[in-house]
Amino acid sequence: GLVLLLPHGYEGQGPEHSSARVERFLELCANSNIQVANCTTPANFFHILRRQMLRDFRKPLIIFTPKSLLRSPKCVSKLEEFTQGKFHELIDDDYADPKKVKRVLLCTGKIYYDLFDKQQADKRNDVAIVRIEQLYPTPLVQILKVKAKYNKATEFIWVQEEPENMGAWPYICRKFHNDTVINLNVISRLEGSSTATGFAKQHAAQQLHIVTKAF
């Protein structure tokens, strides 16, 4: 019943603080051998741990846990989401209007809250933000349902904080390579040899660029 909780999230405090090397764990994924998740709500975090305990089989569970969300007033769940809910491998956007959506942003982890702030500030109900809470096994069926829901969307984009050669994108890119069902582009930091910059101002500029480009 091995569970790994690995701090991960870009907060402008340098390479070692930022990355738990998502890409390395996703390289290990094959034949449903492990589970990899990046939860964005307390309830979903609770339910994935509960699911791990209650399942009648044991497979390692790797969860990427951002530090800043521990104190974030936005990262909260209602009581009934704990008592009546379940683990969601994918969380859809309940603000976007499916009839107006032209662009769908797929993401995982902490960057969702940066994208959400921009969406709400600009009142962009024509852009949907979809959270992939379980990276592996990838919820392909749910992703296809999302595509069917936003049938007027012409762009599907993977948005991540990590450099393009790191994070979930190398895995996601391979998963949907030449896919006739969903064609994904990416918005991320530029490729790099280091996981993150150590300069807070540069970090903030990079983060702003990602979020602005996404909208």
Side-chain angles (χ1 to χ4, degrees):
L2 177 66
V3 178
L4 299 181
L5 305 180
L6 304 176
H8 180 85
Y10 282 57
E11 295 158 7
Q13 298 185 41
E16 295 303 322
H17 179 94
S18 301
S19 183
R21 290 291 188 176
V22 176
E23 65 280 359
R24 292 182 180 177
F25 287 94
L26 290 175
E27 283 177 356
L28 302 174
C29 296
N31 303 316
S32 300
N33 60 335
I34 61 176
Q35 307 160 91
V36 180
N38 196 350
C39 302
T40 57
T41 71
N44 226 26
F45 178 67
F46 167 78
H47 283 295
I48 196 172
L49 293 177
R50 182 175 181 273
R51 184 184 73 172
Q52 181 76 354
M53 293 300 297
L54 294 177
R55 276 181 162 172
D56 58 1
F57 60 87
R58 286 285 178 261
K59 290 189 178 182
L61 171 62
I62 293 92
I63 307 180
F64 299 105
T65 55
K67 297 177 181 178
S68 63
L69 294 189
L70 291 172
R71 295 189 179 92
S72 173
K74 302 167 196 167
C75 186
V76 295
S77 298
K78 296 178 181 178
L79 182 60
E80 54 266 28
E81 292 178 293
F82 290 92
T83 58
Q84 301 174 18
K86 64 177 183 177
F87 176 66
H88 297 282
E89 298 176 348
L90 177 151
I91 300 178
D92 198 1
D93 192 331
D94 58 5
Y95 173 77
D97 184 347
K99 296 179 181 178
K100 296 180 180 179
V101 169
K102 300 295 184 184
R103 172 181 285 196
V104 178
L105 306 177
L106 287 87
C107 66
T108 189
K110 184 180 76 69
I111 193 154
Y112 163 74
Y113 289 95
D114 294 323
L115 296 172
F116 177 76
D117 286 345
K118 178 70 172 174
Q119 181 197 49
Q120 297 300 301
D122 295 352
K123 294 181 169 46
R124 294 291 301 274
N125 65 352
D126 62 327
V127 178
I129 309 171
V130 178
R131 288 170 272 177
I132 309 298
E133 300 281 290
Q134 180 175 284
L135 290 165
Y136 189 84
T138 310
L140 297 174
V141 173
Q142 292 95 315
I143 292 173
L144 292 179
K145 287 181 180 178
V146 164
K147 185 178 187 296
K149 175 183 175 181
Y150 301 113
N151 56 10
K152 293 185 179 179
T154 56
E155 291 181 289
F156 289 82
I157 302 172
W158 180 263
V159 184
Q160 67 175 32
E161 298 180 303
E162 300 87 352
E164 189 174 337
N165 57 320
M166 301 178 196
W169 174 243
Y171 167 80
I172 294 293
C173 177
R174 176 170 58 83
K175 205 71 176 174
F176 293 96
H177 179 63
N178 290 332
D179 198 307
T180 56
V181 178
I182 181 169
N183 184 26
L184 276 177
N185 291 315
V186 64
I187 294 174
S188 67
R189 282 173 166 78
L190 297 175
E191 288 186 348
S193 55
S194 175
T195 53
T197 178
F199 296 98
K201 287 184 179 179
Q202 188 175 15
H203 160 81
Q206 291 173 345
Q207 201 80 353
L208 178 62
H209 175 73
I210 290 171
V211 174
T212 303
K213 191 175 180 180
F215 285 87

